[in-house]
Amino acid sequence: QFISLNFKPRKETDLGLNIRINSNPYFSLRVKDNPDGSKYPEMVVEKSLDREIQSSHHLILTAVDGGDPIRSGTAQIRIRVTDANDNPPVFSQDVYRASVSENLPPGSSVLQVTATDKDEGVNAKITFSFTSIAKDASHKFRLDPTTGEIIIKETLDFEETKVYTMDVKAKDAGSLVAQCKVVLEVRDENDNVPEITLTSLSNPIPEDTVSGTVIALIKTDDRDTGENGEIVCSGRRCSPIRKRKAL
């Protein structure tokens, strides 16, 4: 890549023009001849430019003529490096994790993925989308393409699904993309009532039934887990009936 620079000598005795720029690693000058014998310089890019490292360059060009007396002039050249879409988006994390209560209402935001792009302008505009998501998860969550927020669409149920895993893609205005993984763990809440199943072994009960005789089996169950699933049984009138814990 080069930039042509035009110079006109003040008079014929000034044709021995010497042109140079200040030392720098990115640009150099090459002086070429026109068919009429005049000379013209070209500024050549010697090293790849990177806007993200240095967005502008300030050069000083000096021209010395061949006249008598020798005269010189300087010009300042400012070069602004425009952006190219050469940087992909980068997520702040490779894996995002969150614990989500199963009682959160639809419309609640559970997590936000974030990504940055070193480019600028339209090249730095990022959109988010799911790349891999199970069918049941796609019914439960949606992803805001602009903010990266993951939002509940339908009520969650810990007893139905305990963990949701999905892959998210960040894409810039070009074709450059990045991916991350999202793991959402559903947290159990005490939202299930205990269930009682009664099985009678003797009905009716004779009045001479011996003390200690098992007359019924009571089974309890709670779909919640941990402390939420622990059940304590009690009765209002326990005598002369005694409860015996089954093994």
Side-chain angles (χ1 to χ4, degrees), residues 175-207:
S175 58
L176 302 179
V177 300
Q179 289 191 353
C180 73
K181 186 175 291 294
V182 175
V183 180
L184 300 177
E185 299 178 352
V186 182
R187 188 170 65 251
D188 185 37
E189 302 291 349
N190 191 23
D191 59 344
N192 290 282
V193 297
E195 297 178 356
I196 301 175
T197 303
L198 178 64
T199 303
S200 177
L201 300 182
S202 179
N203 187 16
I205 304 173
E207 63 176 340

PDB file of all heavy atoms in Angstrom, residues 175-207:
ATOM      1  N   SER A 175     -18.529 -12.005  10.219  1.00  0.00           N
ATOM      2  CA  SER A 175     -18.774 -13.436  10.382  1.00  0.00           C
ATOM      3  C   SER A 175     -18.006 -14.027  11.549  1.00  0.00           C
ATOM      4  O   SER A 175     -17.913 -15.256  11.670  1.00  0.00           O
ATOM      5  CB  SER A 175     -18.389 -14.180   9.083  1.00  0.00           C
ATOM      6  OG  SER A 175     -17.022 -13.938   8.771  1.00  0.00           O
ATOM      7  N   LEU A 176     -17.446 -13.188  12.403  1.00  0.00           N
ATOM      8  CA  LEU A 176     -16.638 -13.682  13.513  1.00  0.00           C
ATOM      9  C   LEU A 176     -17.527 -13.996  14.713  1.00  0.00           C
ATOM     10  O   LEU A 176     -18.399 -13.206  15.064  1.00  0.00           O
ATOM     11  CB  LEU A 176     -15.571 -12.647  13.894  1.00  0.00           C
ATOM     12  CG  LEU A 176     -14.619 -12.248  12.754  1.00  0.00           C
ATOM     13  CD1 LEU A 176     -13.625 -11.205  13.241  1.00  0.00           C
ATOM     14  CD2 LEU A 176     -13.893 -13.472  12.203  1.00  0.00           C
ATOM     15  N   VAL A 177     -17.299 -15.152  15.327  1.00  0.00           N
ATOM     16  CA  VAL A 177     -18.158 -15.600  16.420  1.00  0.00           C
ATOM     17  C   VAL A 177     -17.324 -16.118  17.585  1.00  0.00           C
ATOM     18  O   VAL A 177     -16.142 -16.433  17.454  1.00  0.00           O
ATOM     19  CB  VAL A 177     -19.134 -16.716  15.956  1.00  0.00           C
ATOM     20  CG1 VAL A 177     -20.014 -16.223  14.838  1.00  0.00           C
ATOM     21  CG2 VAL A 177     -18.358 -17.951  15.513  1.00  0.00           C
ATOM     22  N   ALA A 178     -17.974 -16.216  18.735  1.00  0.00           N
ATOM     23  CA  ALA A 178     -17.420 -16.852  19.926  1.00  0.00           C
ATOM     24  C   ALA A 178     -18.544 -17.630  20.594  1.00  0.00           C
ATOM     25  O   ALA A 178     -19.724 -17.330  20.389  1.00  0.00           O
ATOM     26  CB  ALA A 178     -16.829 -15.817  20.876  1.00  0.00           C
ATOM     27  N   GLN A 179     -18.175 -18.638  21.383  1.00  0.00           N
ATOM     28  CA  GLN A 179     -19.188 -19.463  22.036  1.00  0.00           C
ATOM     29  C   GLN A 179     -18.865 -19.622  23.513  1.00  0.00           C
ATOM     30  O   GLN A 179     -17.703 -19.561  23.930  1.00  0.00           O
ATOM     31  CB  GLN A 179     -19.281 -20.839  21.379  1.00  0.00           C
ATOM     32  CG  GLN A 179     -19.897 -20.817  20.004  1.00  0.00           C
ATOM     33  CD  GLN A 179     -20.226 -22.217  19.502  1.00  0.00           C
ATOM     34  OE1 GLN A 179     -19.874 -23.220  20.125  1.00  0.00           O
ATOM     35  NE2 GLN A 179     -20.918 -22.292  18.379  1.00  0.00           N
ATOM     36  N   CYS A 180     -19.908 -19.828  24.291  1.00  0.00           N
ATOM     37  CA  CYS A 180     -19.754 -20.141  25.710  1.00  0.00           C
ATOM     38  C   CYS A 180     -20.855 -21.118  26.109  1.00  0.00           C
ATOM     39  O   CYS A 180     -21.797 -21.355  25.347  1.00  0.00           O
ATOM     40  CB  CYS A 180     -19.818 -18.873  26.570  1.00  0.00           C
ATOM     41  SG  CYS A 180     -21.482 -18.174  26.710  1.00  0.00           S
ATOM     42  N   LYS A 181     -20.720 -21.675  27.287  1.00  0.00           N
ATOM     43  CA  LYS A 181     -21.704 -22.631  27.799  1.00  0.00           C
ATOM     44  C   LYS A 181     -22.400 -22.034  29.014  1.00  0.00           C
ATOM     45  O   LYS A 181     -21.771 -21.341  29.824  1.00  0.00           O
ATOM     46  CB  LYS A 181     -21.028 -23.952  28.161  1.00  0.00           C
ATOM     47  CG  LYS A 181     -22.010 -25.067  28.561  1.00  0.00           C
ATOM     48  CD  LYS A 181     -21.277 -26.374  28.775  1.00  0.00           C
ATOM     49  CE  LYS A 181     -20.742 -26.920  27.472  1.00  0.00           C
ATOM     50  NZ  LYS A 181     -21.826 -27.325  26.541  1.00  0.00           N
ATOM     51  N   VAL A 182     -23.695 -22.318  29.130  1.00  0.00           N
ATOM     52  CA  VAL A 182     -24.491 -21.837  30.261  1.00  0.00           C
ATOM     53  C   VAL A 182     -25.101 -23.038  30.970  1.00  0.00           C
ATOM     54  O   VAL A 182     -25.698 -23.907  30.326  1.00  0.00           O
ATOM     55  CB  VAL A 182     -25.608 -20.879  29.795  1.00  0.00           C
ATOM     56  CG1 VAL A 182     -26.505 -20.490  30.971  1.00  0.00           C
ATOM     57  CG2 VAL A 182     -25.010 -19.634  29.154  1.00  0.00           C
ATOM     58  N   VAL A 183     -24.918 -23.097  32.283  1.00  0.00           N
ATOM     59  CA  VAL A 183     -25.484 -24.171  33.106  1.00  0.00           C
ATOM     60  C   VAL A 183     -26.390 -23.533  34.153  1.00  0.00           C
ATOM     61  O   VAL A 183     -25.934 -22.738  34.981  1.00  0.00           O
ATOM     62  CB  VAL A 183     -24.382 -25.005  33.788  1.00  0.00           C
ATOM     63  CG1 VAL A 183     -25.012 -26.106  34.639  1.00  0.00           C
ATOM     64  CG2 VAL A 183     -23.430 -25.603  32.755  1.00  0.00           C
ATOM     65  N   LEU A 184     -27.668 -23.873  34.108  1.00  0.00           N
ATOM     66  CA  LEU A 184     -28.649 -23.349  35.056  1.00  0.00           C
ATOM     67  C   LEU A 184     -29.142 -24.480  35.943  1.00  0.00           C
ATOM     68  O   LEU A 184     -29.722 -25.448  35.453  1.00  0.00           O
ATOM     69  CB  LEU A 184     -29.825 -22.706  34.311  1.00  0.00           C
ATOM     70  CG  LEU A 184     -29.480 -21.533  33.384  1.00  0.00           C
ATOM     71  CD1 LEU A 184     -30.726 -21.057  32.654  1.00  0.00           C
ATOM     72  CD2 LEU A 184     -28.843 -20.394  34.157  1.00  0.00           C
ATOM     73  N   GLU A 185     -28.887 -24.372  37.236  1.00  0.00           N
ATOM     74  CA  GLU A 185     -29.310 -25.375  38.205  1.00  0.00           C
ATOM     75  C   GLU A 185     -30.583 -24.880  38.892  1.00  0.00           C
ATOM     76  O   GLU A 185     -30.591 -23.801  39.488  1.00  0.00           O
ATOM     77  CB  GLU A 185     -28.215 -25.636  39.224  1.00  0.00           C
ATOM     78  CG  GLU A 185     -26.922 -26.164  38.597  1.00  0.00           C
ATOM     79  CD  GLU A 185     -25.825 -26.374  39.618  1.00  0.00           C
ATOM     80  OE1 GLU A 185     -26.031 -25.969  40.798  1.00  0.00           O
ATOM     81  OE2 GLU A 185     -24.768 -26.920  39.261  1.00  0.00           O
ATOM     82  N   VAL A 186     -31.639 -25.662  38.784  1.00  0.00           N
ATOM     83  CA  VAL A 186     -32.922 -25.285  39.373  1.00  0.00           C
ATOM     84  C   VAL A 186     -32.890 -25.612  40.873  1.00  0.00           C
ATOM     85  O   VAL A 186     -32.551 -26.737  41.267  1.00  0.00           O
ATOM     86  CB  VAL A 186     -34.088 -26.013  38.681  1.00  0.00           C
ATOM     87  CG1 VAL A 186     -35.422 -25.576  39.283  1.00  0.00           C
ATOM     88  CG2 VAL A 186     -34.063 -25.722  37.174  1.00  0.00           C
ATOM     89  N   ARG A 187     -33.214 -24.649  41.686  1.00  0.00           N
ATOM     90  CA  ARG A 187     -33.186 -24.810  43.148  1.00  0.00           C
ATOM     91  C   ARG A 187     -34.571 -25.224  43.647  1.00  0.00           C
ATOM     92  O   ARG A 187     -35.588 -24.609  43.317  1.00  0.00           O
ATOM     93  CB  ARG A 187     -32.737 -23.510  43.799  1.00  0.00           C
ATOM     94  CG  ARG A 187     -32.493 -23.613  45.299  1.00  0.00           C
ATOM     95  CD  ARG A 187     -31.830 -22.366  45.837  1.00  0.00           C
ATOM     96  NE  ARG A 187     -32.671 -21.177  45.720  1.00  0.00           N
ATOM     97  CZ  ARG A 187     -32.442 -20.183  44.864  1.00  0.00           C
ATOM     98  NH1 ARG A 187     -31.421 -20.239  44.032  1.00  0.00           N
ATOM     99  NH2 ARG A 187     -33.245 -19.137  44.837  1.00  0.00           N
ATOM    100  N   ASP A 188     -34.602 -26.273  44.454  1.00  0.00           N
ATOM    101  CA  ASP A 188     -35.866 -26.796  44.967  1.00  0.00           C
ATOM    102  C   ASP A 188     -36.485 -25.852  45.994  1.00  0.00           C
ATOM    103  O   ASP A 188     -35.794 -25.285  46.841  1.00  0.00           O
ATOM    104  CB  ASP A 188     -35.626 -28.173  45.597  1.00  0.00           C
ATOM    105  CG  ASP A 188     -36.923 -28.827  46.036  1.00  0.00           C
ATOM    106  OD1 ASP A 188     -37.924 -28.665  45.325  1.00  0.00           O
ATOM    107  OD2 ASP A 188     -36.936 -29.496  47.086  1.00  0.00           O
ATOM    108  N   GLU A 189     -37.785 -25.676  45.892  1.00  0.00           N
ATOM    109  CA  GLU A 189     -38.550 -24.920  46.880  1.00  0.00           C
ATOM    110  C   GLU A 189     -39.640 -25.832  47.443  1.00  0.00           C
ATOM    111  O   GLU A 189     -39.997 -26.843  46.838  1.00  0.00           O
ATOM    112  CB  GLU A 189     -39.184 -23.679  46.237  1.00  0.00           C
ATOM    113  CG  GLU A 189     -38.189 -22.717  45.585  1.00  0.00           C
ATOM    114  CD  GLU A 189     -37.301 -22.007  46.588  1.00  0.00           C
ATOM    115  OE1 GLU A 189     -37.577 -22.094  47.809  1.00  0.00           O
ATOM    116  OE2 GLU A 189     -36.328 -21.365  46.155  1.00  0.00           O
ATOM    117  N   ASN A 190     -40.152 -25.476  48.614  1.00  0.00           N
ATOM    118  CA  ASN A 190     -41.166 -26.300  49.266  1.00  0.00           C
ATOM    119  C   ASN A 190     -42.530 -26.024  48.630  1.00  0.00           C
ATOM    120  O   ASN A 190     -43.380 -25.334  49.202  1.00  0.00           O
ATOM    121  CB  ASN A 190     -41.191 -26.002  50.769  1.00  0.00           C
ATOM    122  CG  ASN A 190     -42.025 -27.014  51.535  1.00  0.00           C
ATOM    123  OD1 ASN A 190     -42.227 -28.137  51.078  1.00  0.00           O
ATOM    124  ND2 ASN A 190     -42.510 -26.620  52.695  1.00  0.00           N
ATOM    125  N   ASP A 191     -42.727 -26.597  47.437  1.00  0.00           N
ATOM    126  CA  ASP A 191     -43.953 -26.316  46.684  1.00  0.00           C
ATOM    127  C   ASP A 191     -44.825 -27.551  46.476  1.00  0.00           C
ATOM    128  O   ASP A 191     -45.780 -27.524  45.695  1.00  0.00           O
ATOM    129  CB  ASP A 191     -43.595 -25.706  45.321  1.00  0.00           C
ATOM    130  CG  ASP A 191     -42.716 -26.611  44.480  1.00  0.00           C
ATOM    131  OD1 ASP A 191     -42.122 -27.569  45.033  1.00  0.00           O
ATOM    132  OD2 ASP A 191     -42.622 -26.382  43.253  1.00  0.00           O
ATOM    133  N   ASN A 192     -44.485 -28.645  47.168  1.00  0.00           N
ATOM    134  CA  ASN A 192     -45.295 -29.861  47.061  1.00  0.00           C
ATOM    135  C   ASN A 192     -45.797 -30.271  48.441  1.00  0.00           C
ATOM    136  O   ASN A 192     -45.012 -30.323  49.404  1.00  0.00           O
ATOM    137  CB  ASN A 192     -44.472 -31.006  46.462  1.00  0.00           C
ATOM    138  CG  ASN A 192     -44.156 -30.773  44.993  1.00  0.00           C
ATOM    139  OD1 ASN A 192     -44.988 -30.960  44.115  1.00  0.00           O
ATOM    140  ND2 ASN A 192     -42.921 -30.354  44.715  1.00  0.00           N
ATOM    141  N   VAL A 193     -47.085 -30.588  48.561  1.00  0.00           N
ATOM    142  CA  VAL A 193     -47.645 -31.050  49.839  1.00  0.00           C
ATOM    143  C   VAL A 193     -47.381 -32.543  49.990  1.00  0.00           C
ATOM    144  O   VAL A 193     -47.296 -33.277  48.996  1.00  0.00           O
ATOM    145  CB  VAL A 193     -49.164 -30.773  49.908  1.00  0.00           C
ATOM    146  CG1 VAL A 193     -49.438 -29.297  49.848  1.00  0.00           C
ATOM    147  CG2 VAL A 193     -49.899 -31.510  48.795  1.00  0.00           C
ATOM    148  N   PRO A 194     -47.224 -33.020  51.227  1.00  0.00           N
ATOM    149  CA  PRO A 194     -47.038 -34.458  51.435  1.00  0.00           C
ATOM    150  C   PRO A 194     -48.262 -35.249  50.980  1.00  0.00           C
ATOM    151  O   PRO A 194     -49.400 -34.777  51.069  1.00  0.00           O
ATOM    152  CB  PRO A 194     -46.842 -34.569  52.953  1.00  0.00           C
ATOM    153  CG  PRO A 194     -46.440 -33.208  53.402  1.00  0.00           C
ATOM    154  CD  PRO A 194     -47.138 -32.265  52.487  1.00  0.00           C
ATOM    155  N   GLU A 195     -47.994 -36.443  50.473  1.00  0.00           N
ATOM    156  CA  GLU A 195     -49.069 -37.353  50.062  1.00  0.00           C
ATOM    157  C   GLU A 195     -49.132 -38.518  51.050  1.00  0.00           C
ATOM    158  O   GLU A 195     -48.093 -39.071  51.443  1.00  0.00           O
ATOM    159  CB  GLU A 195     -48.817 -37.869  48.649  1.00  0.00           C
ATOM    160  CG  GLU A 195     -48.831 -36.769  47.593  1.00  0.00           C
ATOM    161  CD  GLU A 195     -48.539 -37.311  46.202  1.00  0.00           C
ATOM    162  OE1 GLU A 195     -48.255 -38.528  46.090  1.00  0.00           O
ATOM    163  OE2 GLU A 195     -48.592 -36.527  45.229  1.00  0.00           O
ATOM    164  N   ILE A 196     -50.356 -38.871  51.460  1.00  0.00           N
ATOM    165  CA  ILE A 196     -50.550 -39.956  52.439  1.00  0.00           C
ATOM    166  C   ILE A 196     -51.350 -41.079  51.791  1.00  0.00           C
ATOM    167  O   ILE A 196     -52.405 -40.843  51.191  1.00  0.00           O
ATOM    168  CB  ILE A 196     -51.279 -39.448  53.696  1.00  0.00           C
ATOM    169  CG1 ILE A 196     -50.471 -38.308  54.355  1.00  0.00           C
ATOM    170  CG2 ILE A 196     -51.521 -40.589  54.681  1.00  0.00           C
ATOM    171  CD1 ILE A 196     -51.182 -37.685  55.528  1.00  0.00           C
ATOM    172  N   THR A 197     -50.806 -42.287  51.899  1.00  0.00           N
ATOM    173  CA  THR A 197     -51.504 -43.473  51.399  1.00  0.00           C
ATOM    174  C   THR A 197     -51.767 -44.400  52.580  1.00  0.00           C
ATOM    175  O   THR A 197     -50.840 -44.787  53.296  1.00  0.00           O
ATOM    176  CB  THR A 197     -50.670 -44.214  50.340  1.00  0.00           C
ATOM    177  OG1 THR A 197     -50.361 -43.299  49.282  1.00  0.00           O
ATOM    178  CG2 THR A 197     -51.447 -45.403  49.785  1.00  0.00           C
ATOM    179  N   LEU A 198     -53.040 -44.761  52.811  1.00  0.00           N
ATOM    180  CA  LEU A 198     -53.438 -45.615  53.944  1.00  0.00           C
ATOM    181  C   LEU A 198     -53.912 -46.967  53.426  1.00  0.00           C
ATOM    182  O   LEU A 198     -54.783 -47.038  52.574  1.00  0.00           O
ATOM    183  CB  LEU A 198     -54.537 -44.939  54.758  1.00  0.00           C
ATOM    184  CG  LEU A 198     -55.098 -45.736  55.948  1.00  0.00           C
ATOM    185  CD1 LEU A 198     -54.036 -45.963  57.004  1.00  0.00           C
ATOM    186  CD2 LEU A 198     -56.297 -45.004  56.536  1.00  0.00           C
ATOM    187  N   THR A 199     -53.268 -48.017  53.927  1.00  0.00           N
ATOM    188  CA  THR A 199     -53.676 -49.381  53.579  1.00  0.00           C
ATOM    189  C   THR A 199     -54.147 -50.086  54.839  1.00  0.00           C
ATOM    190  O   THR A 199     -53.370 -50.262  55.790  1.00  0.00           O
ATOM    191  CB  THR A 199     -52.509 -50.168  52.957  1.00  0.00           C
ATOM    192  OG1 THR A 199     -52.035 -49.457  51.808  1.00  0.00           O
ATOM    193  CG2 THR A 199     -52.955 -51.553  52.541  1.00  0.00           C
ATOM    194  N   SER A 200     -55.431 -50.470  54.881  1.00  0.00           N
ATOM    195  CA  SER A 200     -55.989 -51.143  56.061  1.00  0.00           C
ATOM    196  C   SER A 200     -55.753 -52.642  55.959  1.00  0.00           C
ATOM    197  O   SER A 200     -56.022 -53.272  54.933  1.00  0.00           O
ATOM    198  CB  SER A 200     -57.487 -50.847  56.175  1.00  0.00           C
ATOM    199  OG  SER A 200     -58.032 -51.551  57.268  1.00  0.00           O
ATOM    200  N   LEU A 201     -55.215 -53.226  57.052  1.00  0.00           N
ATOM    201  CA  LEU A 201     -54.980 -54.668  57.100  1.00  0.00           C
ATOM    202  C   LEU A 201     -56.133 -55.394  57.785  1.00  0.00           C
ATOM    203  O   LEU A 201     -56.265 -56.611  57.663  1.00  0.00           O
ATOM    204  CB  LEU A 201     -53.668 -54.950  57.852  1.00  0.00           C
ATOM    205  CG  LEU A 201     -52.394 -54.333  57.239  1.00  0.00           C
ATOM    206  CD1 LEU A 201     -51.180 -54.741  58.061  1.00  0.00           C
ATOM    207  CD2 LEU A 201     -52.226 -54.770  55.791  1.00  0.00           C
ATOM    208  N   SER A 202     -56.912 -54.658  58.543  1.00  0.00           N
ATOM    209  CA  SER A 202     -58.019 -55.297  59.267  1.00  0.00           C
ATOM    210  C   SER A 202     -59.166 -54.311  59.390  1.00  0.00           C
ATOM    211  O   SER A 202     -59.037 -53.295  60.067  1.00  0.00           O
ATOM    212  CB  SER A 202     -57.565 -55.753  60.660  1.00  0.00           C
ATOM    213  OG  SER A 202     -58.626 -56.351  61.366  1.00  0.00           O
ATOM    214  N   ASN A 203     -60.266 -54.610  58.763  1.00  0.00           N
ATOM    215  CA  ASN A 203     -61.404 -53.695  58.765  1.00  0.00           C
ATOM    216  C   ASN A 203     -62.693 -54.530  58.668  1.00  0.00           C
ATOM    217  O   ASN A 203     -62.912 -55.244  57.677  1.00  0.00           O
ATOM    218  CB  ASN A 203     -61.319 -52.734  57.589  1.00  0.00           C
ATOM    219  CG  ASN A 203     -62.392 -51.666  57.672  1.00  0.00           C
ATOM    220  OD1 ASN A 203     -63.000 -51.466  58.719  1.00  0.00           O
ATOM    221  ND2 ASN A 203     -62.637 -51.007  56.547  1.00  0.00           N
ATOM    222  N   PRO A 204     -63.535 -54.558  59.678  1.00  0.00           N
ATOM    223  CA  PRO A 204     -63.429 -53.790  60.927  1.00  0.00           C
ATOM    224  C   PRO A 204     -62.425 -54.416  61.890  1.00  0.00           C
ATOM    225  O   PRO A 204     -61.909 -55.503  61.638  1.00  0.00           O
ATOM    226  CB  PRO A 204     -64.840 -53.870  61.485  1.00  0.00           C
ATOM    227  CG  PRO A 204     -65.361 -55.164  60.978  1.00  0.00           C
ATOM    228  CD  PRO A 204     -64.790 -55.335  59.606  1.00  0.00           C
ATOM    229  N   ILE A 205     -62.161 -53.718  62.992  1.00  0.00           N
ATOM    230  CA  ILE A 205     -61.204 -54.186  63.997  1.00  0.00           C
ATOM    231  C   ILE A 205     -61.960 -54.827  65.145  1.00  0.00           C
ATOM    232  O   ILE A 205     -62.791 -54.175  65.788  1.00  0.00           O
ATOM    233  CB  ILE A 205     -60.362 -53.005  64.525  1.00  0.00           C
ATOM    234  CG1 ILE A 205     -59.657 -52.296  63.359  1.00  0.00           C
ATOM    235  CG2 ILE A 205     -59.343 -53.493  65.539  1.00  0.00           C
ATOM    236  CD1 ILE A 205     -58.963 -51.022  63.797  1.00  0.00           C
ATOM    237  N   PRO A 206     -61.699 -56.107  65.433  1.00  0.00           N
ATOM    238  CA  PRO A 206     -62.387 -56.776  66.551  1.00  0.00           C
ATOM    239  C   PRO A 206     -62.032 -56.111  67.880  1.00  0.00           C
ATOM    240  O   PRO A 206     -60.929 -55.603  68.064  1.00  0.00           O
ATOM    241  CB  PRO A 206     -61.857 -58.205  66.485  1.00  0.00           C
ATOM    242  CG  PRO A 206     -61.350 -58.367  65.071  1.00  0.00           C
ATOM    243  CD  PRO A 206     -60.843 -57.031  64.684  1.00  0.00           C
ATOM    244  N   GLU A 207     -62.979 -56.174  68.833  1.00  0.00           N
ATOM    245  CA  GLU A 207     -62.733 -55.513  70.119  1.00  0.00           C
ATOM    246  C   GLU A 207     -61.691 -56.236  70.956  1.00  0.00           C
ATOM    247  O   GLU A 207     -61.117 -55.640  71.868  1.00  0.00           O
ATOM    248  CB  GLU A 207     -64.034 -55.418  70.907  1.00  0.00           C
ATOM    249  CG  GLU A 207     -64.628 -56.742  71.286  1.00  0.00           C
ATOM    250  CD  GLU A 207     -65.880 -56.577  72.149  1.00  0.00           C
ATOM    251  OE1 GLU A 207     -66.013 -55.475  72.728  1.00  0.00           O
ATOM    252  OE2 GLU A 207     -66.674 -57.501  72.215  1.00  0.00           O
TER     253      GLU A 207
END
